[in-house]
């Protein structure tokens, strides 16, 4: 139940028709950390007035790091492309450039090779929800001799459990979108589109700047 709730929190449909994917647990953690940092800053200013800014630097830096690592990274699914934003870089992947979408422990996109001899490249969305491990109760049930002898109620095998967990993951929206695009394009038209589709990589300069400012501000606070 809690897992499904976190999945709904991390999945958001936007007004332009795209779907934004982030881990629900990361969003909850961001909210808790930001509330604590804000309370610390307000208490410092309330008690010390303008001099309280000295005690606001560290909470502000912590808030910036949490934003950079847990809030800013995301996957945005569009009708014809998927945007994978990691910490330092953002990839825009046209659907035609994606050879396969894999959802396991992490969400991965295998790209079409540039030519027949080139190796396939994989882009990992490190902050996207993946598929969890087997539940301890199910693992113990499979070890029960009665289950192996047929004395227990039939339980789903590994492939069935994986499929179930994939469907429950909010990252399945990316898999579903690519499968829908793949089904709508025949092999010939897909191959032609793949020749013109080029993944675009962009460095997250604004995020790097925020992290540098946080580090420098913390260092200045310590030395002052």
């Amino acid at each position: 139940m809690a897992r499904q709730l976190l999945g709904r929190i991390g999945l958001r449909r936007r007004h332009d028709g795209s779907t934004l994917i982030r881990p629900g647990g990361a969003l909850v953690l961001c909210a808790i950390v930001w509330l604590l940092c804000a309370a610390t800053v307000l208490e410092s200013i309330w008690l010390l007035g303008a001099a309280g800014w000295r005690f606001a630097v560290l909470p502000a830096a912590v808030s910036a790091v949490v934003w950079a690592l847990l809030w800013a990274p995301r996957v945005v699914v569009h009708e014809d492309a998927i945007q994978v934003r990691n910490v330092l870089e953002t990839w825009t992947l046209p659907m035609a450039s994606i050879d396969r979408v894999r959802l396991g422990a992490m969400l991965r996109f295998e790209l079409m090779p540039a030519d027949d001899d080139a190796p396939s490249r994989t882009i990992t969305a490190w902050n996207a929800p993946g598929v969890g491990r087997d539940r301890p109760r199910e693992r113990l049930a499979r070890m029960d001799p009665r289950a192996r002898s047929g004395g227990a109620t039939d339980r789903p095998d590994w492939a069935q459990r994986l499929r179930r967990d994939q469907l429950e993951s909010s990252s399945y929206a990316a898999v579903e979108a690519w499968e829908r695009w793949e089904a709508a394009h025949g092999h010939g038209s897909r191959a032609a589109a793949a020749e013109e589709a080029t993944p675009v990589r962009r460095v997250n300069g604004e995020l790097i700047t925020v992290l540098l400012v946080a580090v420098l501000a913390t260092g200045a606070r310590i030395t002052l």
Side-chain angles (χ1 to χ4, degrees):
M1 184 66 180
R3 185 177 177 180
Q4 295 177 352
L5 178 60
L6 290 177
R8 287 195 293 269
I9 293 175
L11 187 66
R12 183 164 66 89
R13 309 287 181 179
R14 305 201 296 186
H15 66 277
D16 61 355
S18 63
T19 301
L20 189 148
I21 303 171
R22 280 182 295 208
L27 302 185
V28 173
L29 180 59
C30 286
I32 293 174
V33 171
W34 288 339
L35 286 174
L36 292 176
C37 290
T40 302
V41 172
L42 292 175
E43 183 180 14
S44 300
I45 296 176
W46 176 266
L47 296 176
L48 302 176
W53 73 268
R54 292 176 176 270
F55 299 94
V57 173
L58 184 58
V62 171
S63 298
V65 171
V66 169
W67 169 79
L69 298 181
L70 298 180
W71 183 273
R74 59 186 178 267
V75 173
V76 182
V77 181
H78 299 274
E79 184 177 351
D80 57 352
I82 295 178
Q83 183 188 72
V84 181
R85 178 180 176 123
N86 290 330
V87 175
L88 299 179
E89 61 183 13
T90 297
W91 284 89
T92 300
L93 310 175
M95 290 294 188
S97 70
I98 301 174
D99 185 43
R100 183 185 178 191
V101 181
R102 297 171 55 191
L103 177 55
M106 303 187 79
L107 177 63
R108 295 182 171 90
F109 302 89
E110 296 181 359
L111 304 183
M112 300 284 290
D115 52 61
D116 295 337
D117 298 329
S120 177
R121 182 167 190 173
T122 301
I123 304 298
T124 301
W126 77 274
N127 198 36
V131 174
R133 298 179 180 179
D134 287 347
R135 298 178 177 87
R137 182 179 300 177
E138 293 183 352
R139 190 181 303 114
L140 292 174
R142 292 197 306 276
M143 297 171 60
D144 190 339
R146 293 175 301 174
R148 293 194 296 269
S149 63
T153 305
D154 292 337
R155 296 179 176 87
D157 60 17
W158 177 85
Q160 292 173 326
R161 293 194 306 275
L162 176 61
R163 182 61 176 174
R164 178 198 62 197
D165 291 345
Q166 287 176 333
L167 293 174
E168 291 178 354
S169 173
S170 54
S171 291
Y172 187 73
V175 180
E176 190 177 31
W178 179 79
E179 290 179 344
R180 186 167 56 248
W181 188 94
E182 178 81 359
H185 294 74
H187 179 73
S189 61
R190 184 182 188 278
E195 294 180 358
E196 302 178 357
T198 303
V200 177
R201 175 180 175 269
R202 178 180 66 84
V203 176
N204 299 330
E206 73 284 357
L207 186 145
I208 296 175
T209 300
V210 169
L211 290 178
L212 287 176
V213 170
V215 171
L216 292 175
T218 304
R221 171 64 184 88
I222 294 174
T223 56
L224 290 177

